[in-house]
Amino acid sequence: MCIRDSLKASLLFESLDERVFRIKITDSQAERWEVPIYNPDARKYYKQHLIKDMGLTYTSPPYKFELADPRTKQVFVATTDTTDTTLYLSDKLIEYGLWFPGDAIFGLGERVNPSFELCDGPYRDCTYTSFNKDIDMPVDRGHPPGGKQSYGHQSFYMVRLKNKQFVGVFFLNSNAQDTIIKRRSTGINVNHKTIGGIVDIYFFYPGAAEEVIKSYHSFIGRPYLPPMWTLGFHQCRWGWKTLDKVKSVVKEFGKADIPLDVVWADIDYMQDFKDFTVNNVTYKGLGEYVDQLHTMGMRWVPIIDAGLKYELNDIYYKKGEEMNAFVRSAYTKKTLIGKVWPGYAVYPAWMNVNASILWYMGLQNLYDQVKYDGIWIDMNEASNFCHGECGLDNTEGTDGTVHGADPHDPKEFDNLRYYPGDASLLTKAISPSGYHVVTDPYGDKFYKEFNLHSLWALHQANVTSRFFTNVQKRRPFIMTRANFAGIGMFSSKWLGDNHSTWEDMQYSIIGMFNYQLFGIPLVGADICGFIFNTTEELCARWMQLGAFSPFSRNHNVNNAKDQEPYNWPLVAKAGRNALRQKYSILRYYYTKLFEVSLHGGTLVKPLFFDYPEDDKAYEYRNKVFMIGPAVLVVPVLEPGAMKVTTYLPNQNWFNLFTAEQIYYFDPKAKEGKEITLKAGFDYVNVLIKGGNILSFQEALKEKVKRVAVLDNLPLEVVVAPDEKGEAKGNMIFDSEKAVNPIASKEYTEITFEFSMKTMKMNINTTGKYRMNKQVENFNTLTILGAESMAHVRYACIRGKSGKLASIPGVYLSAAKKLVFHQNNGIYWGNIVCIAFTNNCFQ
């Protein structure tokens, strides 16, 4: 069904390649707002493909279409004549509906999902709102009318088809919108309902989940590569009121023998909560102390808020006014005034290049005072404590709103016929009638906040990233709260102001999964919870789970009790050991992060992504998580539990830290089985899947406290054979000083292929980068489940010019593992293969 109300539809079909298809519907009579493609390589990876080969069937009017996968000839998306899938075009209300022959749907951020699957529960009709909003993260179960979204606007989702393949859908629209899902026995209806812009939808054709996600990331921009130290442990607190308090926290970590890599600063360090300032009374000597942290192998990251202080003699306000660099008020044509932590505030107008210049100036001024290692951007939805705009006499009106007509477009946003989420656009936000001015030789251009609001954080992250790469010539580390599609090219993400509850701890797993879809792999929740007081048991279990999150940071609100892990013996023990378990496989973790930056895809993921046909694996979608293809983490999610149950698909599985084989592949079984594991506070159940090879370091044994120490620890390669006695894996080393080692090719990859049948491991090295650190040398090789190799006495190391060394092996019968070790390492790049035999001289 198609209704055209004041707009004349113009429709475009476009194929980006044989597996990506675009449908664009706009007004043929007038120009409308279209979201720019921020990825400069968006079309570099695609080649135009003949539409006739894309499986398209189209009828116009009434604008009906369906797409079939050319590989299978099966329809995977269509429009229908039902009221669930209408096309409705008007200036401030656009609807477009789709039907999928699927049974589950995932994505659509940002929100706190109680399940990775959307609309997962008794409610079969759900509404999810997308519009960046500063809100204390309510649980969003999709109950109509919606409105429970939080900081980010992510309109990508995947539908699981009934053949267990996945199709990706990206609705490129930055305006406030609802996505209405109706699950039926015949499939899933999805209705997109927005109040601006155009219909611009990209379909990523059916395939494995990882395949679809990689294709989407190639379009929006593959994630940037943060430094390896960002995978270490971070500690923060809103309420460290003095530098002496920060110093005492760092000392207590040392006394408790708990790893700590990065110290963070919330707004306490600022002078009157103003960006780019340091309080030289309560934080006197901060610059010198951060220099000291650097000598200790630690880093420091400060918070920066979105709004700059509105103060006539403030350097940034004065300069910004001169440059016309702030968002303007439609009521006065002067700078729009909001309110955040420093009081009355103004906001950079990112569409104007002068805003970038002003931001660079602030970042450089702060760096001149204290040598920070990354930037934490908060309140960048952008948030506003006033209702749209503060009173022009610097006092809010009765409702915090400036009343009057809009001189650009009077009352344009009053009395809209539809409000997504049934919520005001003004709540804790800049007025939608605010605008950015861009000076142009042919006349100034005006860009409304109505269209730009959800893009605010994306622009800010882009500018901040360019400051690191173009001005400081170093690799960026940026942590954002608000977000839009493509921000992963510039920034990482933490999951916002969560709560100290067992439920929120489990929800953090789902949040990590969602942001893998959205292209932001380095993600994690505030460990132990931000709001409310945590408990010793909850914090201990959260430290165990959070240690294995990509981004591991403990942080809480200023009016809650201290929750640094050393405050409880149990939490200290749990955190100390869990973090060192993670550090033991940090080279593997970083290798997988590097691959995601190189190719797109997920860093952590639900078990069923690798086993789409296994319904039992799907049941554990909210409880366990994979790190890359090899590692399964099984956290404790319930109070009082000293055991944990997980499901293992039918494959060889080993305990990574004890070498015990937990599960043996059964050729007669159609599926795996559930197993119960002991779950103390001194370890996390971390399993390695058969068929994989990963790098390992003795961080537990060596009591590692910093990621930097790992460069000087010997490297062990762990082989976990599959049922065929085979395994493969890789390691990647790069230059820490490289701004973008992928672009500059300053990295080396080492790949392994192992076979028990041929008793050989082939090794291939690509790349020219070499740092000559201990970690890059071969010292130890461990083969798990090696009963059939118990007789082997030597590993014969061969290089390009012949034999390099013979290393004796020891078979440990209790653990059923075969270990080869030598004290003097051999550079991996010089090794071609390792043969296992009883005599290297034959």
Side-chain angles (χ1 to χ4, degrees):
M1 180 180 184
C2 175
I3 303 174
R4 288 178 291 168
D5 176 9
S6 78
L7 301 185
K8 186 174 182 180
S10 173
L11 186 144
L12 168 72
F13 292 128
E14 183 180 22
S15 59
L16 273 68
D17 76 353
E18 62 179 5
R19 307 299 290 172
V20 183
F21 191 77
R22 180 190 190 191
I23 293 178
K24 177 182 175 182
I25 304 175
T26 188
D27 186 3
S28 63
Q29 297 176 320
E31 184 178 358
R32 292 182 61 78
W33 166 250
E34 297 185 25
V35 180
I37 302 296
Y38 291 88
N39 175 19
D41 297 325
R43 295 180 180 272
K44 175 182 177 181
Y45 302 102
Y46 298 108
K47 295 181 179 179
Q48 290 285 327
H49 201 71
L50 294 176
I51 290 179
K52 69 181 181 65
D53 296 328
M54 296 298 292
L56 172 69
T57 302
Y58 169 62
T59 303
S60 175
Y63 299 95
K64 290 177 59 177
F65 83 95
E66 65 179 29
L67 286 174
D69 187 346
R71 297 175 180 175
T72 64
K73 309 302 181 183
Q74 293 181 343
V75 173
F76 63 87
V77 63
T79 53
T80 72
D81 289 327
T82 69
T83 57
D84 289 331
T85 52
T86 60
L87 169 61
Y88 188 99
L89 297 174
S90 68
D91 184 39
K92 295 296 187 295
L93 179 60
I94 297 174
E95 292 185 66
Y96 195 60
L98 304 167
W99 168 83
F100 301 89
D103 59 8
I105 184 169
F106 316 88
L108 295 176
E110 179 180 7
R111 63 199 78 257
V112 178
N113 297 79
S115 173
F116 183 45
E117 180 183 337
L118 293 170
C119 211
D120 183 12
Y123 294 91
R124 311 307 285 173
D125 294 359
C126 300
T127 300
Y128 295 100
T129 303
S130 296
F131 181 69
N132 288 7
K133 193 170 185 179
D134 177 3
I135 188 172
D136 286 339
M137 300 184 70
V139 177
D140 190 353
R141 303 181 188 278
H143 298 172
K148 291 187 176 181
Q149 82 284 7
S150 55
Y151 316 108
H153 182 137
Q154 298 284 347
S155 51
F156 173 76
Y157 57 93
M158 290 200 311
V159 175
R160 186 179 69 173
L161 304 175
K162 293 182 179 179
N163 63 4
K164 305 301 183 182
Q165 289 194 317
F166 297 81
V167 58
V169 184
F170 177 42
F171 181 41
L172 181 55
N173 182 293
S174 63
N175 294 90
Q177 60 193 252
D178 284 333
T179 305
I180 301 165
I181 298 170
K182 297 189 177 183
R183 302 180 61 167
R184 301 292 184 263
S185 60
T186 56
I188 298 176
N189 293 335
V190 179
N191 197 36
H192 295 279
K193 199 169 185 179
T194 183
I195 56 175
I198 64 171
V199 174
D200 198 1
I201 303 180
Y202 295 80
F203 298 97
F204 301 86
Y205 278 44
E210 199 73 21
E211 177 186 347
V212 171
I213 294 167
K214 285 181 178 180
S215 183
Y216 174 59
H217 293 174
S218 294
F219 178 71
I220 62 167
R222 297 183 180 112
Y224 86 111
L225 180 66
M228 183 171 167
W229 55 261
T230 61
L231 291 169
F233 186 64
H234 308 243
Q235 182 64 56
C236 188
R237 173 71 194 274
W238 179 17
W240 290 340
K241 298 187 182 300
T242 67
L243 180 58
D244 286 341
K245 176 61 178 177
V246 177
K247 292 179 178 179
S248 71
V249 168
V250 174
K251 287 180 180 178
E252 290 299 323
F253 265 89
K255 290 179 182 178
D257 190 30
I258 302 171
L260 177 62
D261 281 283
V262 191
V263 179
W264 290 58
D266 209 313
I267 58 176
D268 309 281
Y269 82 95
M270 297 176 175
Q271 178 68 50
D272 300 324
F273 304 140
K274 294 191 291 186
D275 282 351
F276 314 124
T277 66
V278 174
N279 189 317
N280 287 318
V281 176
T282 57
Y283 272 76
K284 184 178 181 179
L286 176 61
E288 293 81 359
Y289 181 65
V290 170
D291 291 342
Q292 183 181 341
L293 289 178
H294 290 156
T295 64
M296 298 163 62
M298 285 187 279
R299 317 283 176 159
W300 185 78
V301 175
I303 196 171
I304 300 290
D305 283 334
L308 300 173
K309 175 69 175 177
Y310 169 60
E311 192 172 64
L312 296 181
N313 63 351
D314 180 83
I315 180 175
Y316 302 106
Y317 175 73
K318 289 169 64 177
K319 189 68 174 176
E321 280 291 288
E322 292 174 7
M323 301 166 70
N324 196 21
F326 298 127
V327 176
R328 311 293 282 180
S329 167
Y331 300 98
T332 66
K333 298 187 181 181
K334 298 179 180 180
T335 296
L336 183 149
I337 301 171
K339 187 176 183 181
V340 279
W341 298 115
Y344 294 103
V346 293
Y347 301 86
W350 299 113
M351 297 297 286
N352 187 330
V353 68
N354 289 338
S356 301
I357 296 171
L358 181 68
W359 197 251
Y360 283 7
M361 183 180 80
L363 290 171
Q364 186 61 55
N365 287 347
L366 179 59
Y367 191 77
D368 290 341
Q369 299 172 76
V370 54
K371 301 298 186 288
Y372 55 79
D373 299 282
I375 289 293
W376 171 22
I377 306 176
D378 196 14
M379 311 294 289
N380 55 336
E381 290 71 32
S383 180
N384 178 11
F385 295 164
C386 290
H387 196 64
E389 187 172 346
C390 296
L392 301 184
D393 59 355
N394 292 350
T395 58
E396 293 98 330
T398 55
D399 62 356
T401 305
V402 175
H403 300 280
D406 179 341
H408 281 285
D409 193 355
K411 300 182 179 181
E412 180 181 2
F413 305 109
D414 291 353
N415 303 314
L416 296 179
R417 69 171 72 178
Y418 184 80
Y419 287 91
D422 195 24
S424 171
L425 302 179
L426 301 173
T427 304
K428 296 193 77 173
I430 301 172
S431 171
S433 62
Y435 59 94
H436 302 219
V437 180
V438 178
T439 302
D440 187 281
Y442 302 98
D444 290 349
K445 295 181 179 180
F446 304 95
Y447 295 89
K448 291 283 188 179
E449 272 293 307
F450 177 75
N451 297 316
L452 295 175
H453 172 80
S454 287
L455 298 174
W456 213 90
L458 174 60
H459 287 125
Q460 186 184 39
N462 185 4
V463 171
T464 307
S465 177
R466 283 190 276 115
F467 174 77
F468 277 90
T469 58
N470 298 351
V471 178
Q472 295 201 325
K473 307 297 182 184
R474 60 176 175 150
R475 199 184 306 191
F477 173 52
I478 300 165
M479 186 61 60
T480 184
R481 186 170 77 174
N483 51 94
F484 187 81
I487 199 172
M489 290 188 292
F490 316 115
S491 180
S492 303
K493 158 73 181 170
W494 100 101
L495 294 174
D497 296 348
N498 60 354
H499 303 84
S500 298
T501 65
W502 289 88
E503 291 81 6
D504 271 30
M505 180 176 69
Q506 181 172 1
Y507 298 159
S508 71
I509 297 175
I510 300 157
M512 288 192 297
F513 290 164
N514 280 328
Y515 274 94
Q516 304 306 304
L517 271 60
F518 305 148
I520 309 179
L522 189 71
V523 63
D526 284 341
I527 294 172
C528 302
F530 180 74
I531 299 172
F532 307 142
N533 291 320
T534 191
T535 65
E536 184 175 12
E537 183 187 9
L538 172 60
C539 197
R541 292 305 191 188
W542 210 327
M543 282 294 295
Q544 290 183 312
L545 187 161
F548 284 91
S549 301
F551 176 59
S552 302
R553 185 184 71 170
N554 182 312
H555 178 45
N556 68 323
V557 72
N558 62 344
N559 58 1
K561 293 180 180 179
D562 292 346
Q563 66 179 39
E564 296 87 358
Y566 56 72
N567 283 288
W568 301 273
L570 189 65
V571 180
K573 178 172 74 170
R576 180 187 308 121
N577 293 335
L579 287 167
R580 285 176 177 152
Q581 282 183 283
K582 180 185 186 180
Y583 287 26
S584 297
I585 59 169
L586 209 70
R587 175 58 57 187
Y588 165 79
Y589 218 134
Y590 183 71
T591 292
K592 299 303 122 180
L593 179 62
F594 192 104
E595 288 178 344
V596 171
S597 295
L598 186 61
H599 303 296
T602 64
L603 177 60
V604 296
K605 58 187 172 184
L607 187 61
F608 78 88
F609 271 20
D610 286 350
Y611 301 92
E613 302 286 345
D614 193 330
D615 291 339
K616 200 68 179 179
Y618 188 75
E619 291 180 16
Y620 280 78
R621 61 190 176 277
N622 304 320
K623 300 176 182 179
V624 299
F625 57 95
M626 296 287 297
I627 302 170
V631 174
L632 176 66
V633 179
V634 185
V636 174
L637 302 174
E638 297 177 353
M642 294 302 291
K643 294 181 179 180
V644 63
T645 298
T646 187
Y647 173 75
L648 297 180
N650 189 20
Q651 195 136 8
N652 289 345
W653 292 90
F654 304 84
N655 184 308
L656 181 58
F657 290 90
T658 68
E660 177 188 2
Q661 187 158 355
I662 302 296
Y663 183 77
Y664 291 82
F665 171 76
D666 183 353
K668 297 180 181 180
K670 294 182 179 180
E671 61 180 22
K673 69 175 182 178
E674 291 179 311
I675 64 167
T676 299
L677 305 169
K678 293 181 180 179
F681 289 94
D682 53 348
Y683 60 90
V684 180
N685 283 293
V686 181
L687 310 183
I688 178 171
K689 182 172 69 173
N692 288 283
I693 300 174
L694 57 75
S695 49
F696 186 91
Q697 292 173 283
E698 289 286 0
L700 279 162
K701 180 180 178 181
E702 298 296 332
K703 298 183 178 180
V704 169
K705 290 186 179 181
R706 311 273 186 269
V707 168
V709 175
L710 297 173
D711 280 342
N712 300 312
L713 280 188
L715 185 70
E716 177 180 353
V717 172
V718 177
V719 178
D722 61 15
E723 67 277 9
K724 297 178 182 178
E726 298 174 350
K728 61 182 179 179
N730 66 330
M731 297 187 296
I732 294 176
F733 302 95
D734 67 2
S735 170
E736 297 172 356
K737 296 181 180 180
V739 174
N740 184 342
I742 293 176
S744 60
K745 300 188 185 304
E746 295 178 77
Y747 68 92
T748 291
E749 180 178 13
I750 303 167
T751 58
F752 305 95
E753 291 184 358
F754 169 85
S755 173
M756 283 185 178
K757 293 179 181 179
T758 59
M759 293 291 182
K760 184 185 291 188
M761 179 183 289
N762 293 315
I763 299 168
N764 182 44
T765 303
T766 57
K768 298 180 180 180
Y769 172 72
R770 179 173 178 176
M771 288 190 299
N772 293 315
K773 293 183 178 179
Q774 180 66 34
V775 71
E776 296 179 315
N777 293 329
F778 167 70
N779 286 87
T780 305
L781 172 65
T782 299
I783 303 173
L784 307 181
E787 299 98 318
S788 64
M789 297 180 66
H791 63 284
V792 173
R793 295 178 59 192
Y794 292 99
C796 306
I797 313 297
R798 300 191 183 276
K800 295 178 181 178
S801 58
K803 179 187 161 188
L804 289 175
S806 61
I807 304 176
V810 177
Y811 179 70
L812 303 176
S813 58
K816 298 180 181 178
K817 67 179 181 179
L818 181 59
V819 180
F820 301 92
H821 174 77
Q822 70 165 15
N823 292 324
N824 298 320
I826 302 173
Y827 179 59
W828 280 110
N830 293 333
I831 303 174
V832 173
C833 73
I834 303 175
F836 306 102
T837 181
N838 289 327
N839 189 344
C840 287
F841 299 98
Q842 289 182 338

